[in-house]
């Protein structure tokens, strides 16, 4: 069998005159303003597992935060958008190659953990991909952000922004990718592009093209793992962990219900130690 499917690595270093510029997504750590509410594969820890855990001691301030977050999770997207930071207030300046960013290069999306987010250079059929041929501080993207820290909700413990650099075709996942930008600092980021092509079954990687996988609704490996966890959550607890942001058509668990939180914790511990293990190969 080994001789039929040998392991071969081919490494090429190519010098090109220009490269496609990536997409850059930014989110404020604070998903909602404090006046906005009335009070096999490695597993992923959700926001719930660090904020709404089993057998937590009773605390009036913490209980109030839990209640307000529960209300936030129950809102529809329009209301969450209203309660969050406006993108025009969050992004004070956007320059690309020394010029103001075209408005049609900016798009917006909503994230359950980070609220209203902004993406620069998300690819669409009407525009060609941006490219860069030089390096240096004035040839790329410059962003100036206003965190509006005076409006931070008590549930947000850290000031800053989440930055994700990704392919223009990809949907950003701030929970799993990216880095943090601290307030009152200037950050410079440079990139070197590496491209890896894996071979599907019968080769050893057994990789999967999630976007073209037949009979599956997930578009990436992380969502595959989340779906795996949610199926176990629903089977064992009768509800799902809504902070995982997948399979939201099923009944969500009440984040203030201790019994349900203990059940979700037990499911995650069982999956980690005994399985069934999630079948989510590398992309």
């Amino acid at each position: 069998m080994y001789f039929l499917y040998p392991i071969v690595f081919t490494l090429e270093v190519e010098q090109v005159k220009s490269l496609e510029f990536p997409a850059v997504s930014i989110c404020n750590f604070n998903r909602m303003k404090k006046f906005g509410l009335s009070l096999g594969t490695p597993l992923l820890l959700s926001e719930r597992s660090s904020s709404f855990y089993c057998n937590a001691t009773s605390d009036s301030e913490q209980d109030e935060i839990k209640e307000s977050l529960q209300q936030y999770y129950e809102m529809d997207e329009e209301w969450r958008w209203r309660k969050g930071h406006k993108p025009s207030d969050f992004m004070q300046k956007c320059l690309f190659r020394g010029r103001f960013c075209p408005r049609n290069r900016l798009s917006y999306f909503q994230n359950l953990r980070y609220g209203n987010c902004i993406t620069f250079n998300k690819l669409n059929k009407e525009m060609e991909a941006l490219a860069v041929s030089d390096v240096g501080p004035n040839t790329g993207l410059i962003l100036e952000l206003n965190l509006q820290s005076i409006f931070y909700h008590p549930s947000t413990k850290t000031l800053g922004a989440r930055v994700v650099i990704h392919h223009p075709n990809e949907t950003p996942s701030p929970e799993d990718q990216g880095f943090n930008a601290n307030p009152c600092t200037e950050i410079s980021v440079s990139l070197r592009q590496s491209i890896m092509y894996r071979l599907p079954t019968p080769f050893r990687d057994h990789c999967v093209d999630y976007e073209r996988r037949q009979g599956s609704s997930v578009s990436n490996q992380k969502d595959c793992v989340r779906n795996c966890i949610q199926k176990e959550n629903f089977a064992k607890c009768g509800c799902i962990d809504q902070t995982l942001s997948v399979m939201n058509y099923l009944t969500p668990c009440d984040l203030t219900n201790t019994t349900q939180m203990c059940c979700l914790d037990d499911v995650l511990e069982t999956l980690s130690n005994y399985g069934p293990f999630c079948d989510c190969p590398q992309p």
Side-chain angles (χ1 to χ4, degrees):
M1 197 68 175
Y2 169 80
F3 294 102
L4 290 176
Y5 305 106
I7 299 174
V8 178
F9 290 92
T10 302
L11 178 64
E12 297 180 1
V13 179
E14 183 180 0
Q15 301 291 339
V16 295
K17 294 183 178 180
S18 64
L19 286 175
E20 183 181 62
F21 195 79
V24 179
S25 295
I26 53 171
C27 308
N28 199 320
F29 277 176
N30 188 56
R31 81 192 87 194
M32 56 181 169
K33 296 182 179 181
K34 62 182 178 182
F35 57 78
L37 285 177
S38 58
L39 298 194
T41 304
L43 298 177
L44 300 169
L45 293 180
S46 68
E47 181 182 24
R48 178 209 62 81
S49 61
S50 60
S51 301
F52 304 91
Y53 43 87
C54 178
N55 295 327
T57 56
S58 179
D59 179 271
S60 58
E61 181 180 355
Q62 188 66 19
D63 290 343
E64 188 174 333
I65 291 174
K66 289 181 180 180
E67 184 65 31
S68 64
L69 288 179
Q70 176 68 30
Q71 293 178 34
Y72 179 81
Y73 295 139
E74 293 173 352
M75 291 179 181
D76 58 26
E77 289 189 3
E78 181 181 353
W79 270 104
R80 288 177 187 159
W81 181 267
R82 292 182 182 181
K83 301 300 182 183
H85 297 267
K86 292 183 179 179
S88 57
D89 295 333
F90 177 42
M91 180 184 287
Q92 296 287 288
K93 181 189 293 184
C94 178
L95 300 175
F96 180 69
R97 303 185 69 176
R99 298 182 179 181
F100 288 108
C101 299
R103 294 184 64 86
N104 59 357
R105 291 288 179 179
L106 297 173
S107 58
Y108 312 102
F109 69 97
Q110 200 171 92
N111 181 270
L112 196 59
R113 176 176 291 191
Y114 294 103
N116 300 334
C117 302
I118 307 171
T119 298
F120 172 78
N121 196 35
K122 181 177 176 61
L123 198 63
N124 62 54
K125 298 179 180 179
E126 300 176 357
M127 295 182 293
E128 296 182 359
L130 295 175
V132 290
S133 55
D134 301 312
V135 296
N138 296 320
T139 60
L141 180 67
I142 298 176
L143 299 176
E144 184 178 303
L145 307 177
N146 178 12
L147 298 177
Q148 297 184 298
S149 59
I150 60 173
F151 297 127
Y152 265 41
H153 191 269
S155 63
T156 306
K157 303 301 182 183
T158 308
L159 297 177
R162 187 71 171 172
V163 183
V164 184
I165 301 173
H166 54 96
H167 191 278
N169 273 333
E170 291 180 349
T171 300
S173 180
E175 300 93 338
D176 310 314
Q177 304 167 331
F179 59 91
N180 297 336
N182 297 323
C184 303
T185 58
E186 181 176 306
I187 299 176
S188 179
V189 180
S190 60
L191 300 176
R192 176 179 295 174
Q193 186 180 61
S194 298
I195 301 176
M196 179 183 293
Y197 297 99
R198 296 188 180 94
L199 296 176
T201 302
F203 292 91
R204 190 176 70 174
D205 278 342
H206 300 289
C207 64
V208 170
D209 187 342
Y210 284 95
E211 293 185 355
R212 299 182 181 180
R213 194 180 193 182
Q214 294 183 352
S216 175
S217 60
V218 299
S219 59
N220 56 70
Q221 186 188 32
K222 300 295 185 183
D223 279 351
C224 176
V225 176
R226 292 190 183 97
N227 276 342
C228 171
I229 297 173
Q230 293 288 52
K231 289 177 182 177
E232 287 297 309
N233 285 338
F234 192 73
K236 301 292 175 55
C237 308
C239 56
I240 62 166
D241 179 353
Q242 55 189 309
T243 65
L244 285 173
S245 303
V246 295
M247 301 178 70
N248 291 326
Y249 53 87
L250 297 175
T251 304
C253 293
D254 183 349
L255 300 178
T256 61
N257 186 311
T258 302
T259 301
Q260 292 181 352
M261 294 303 99
C262 289
C263 182
L264 293 179
D265 285 350
D266 289 342
V267 167
L268 195 59
E269 183 177 0
T270 301
L271 282 173
S272 301
N273 296 324
Y274 309 108
F277 301 105
C278 298
D279 180 22
C280 299
Q282 296 186 85

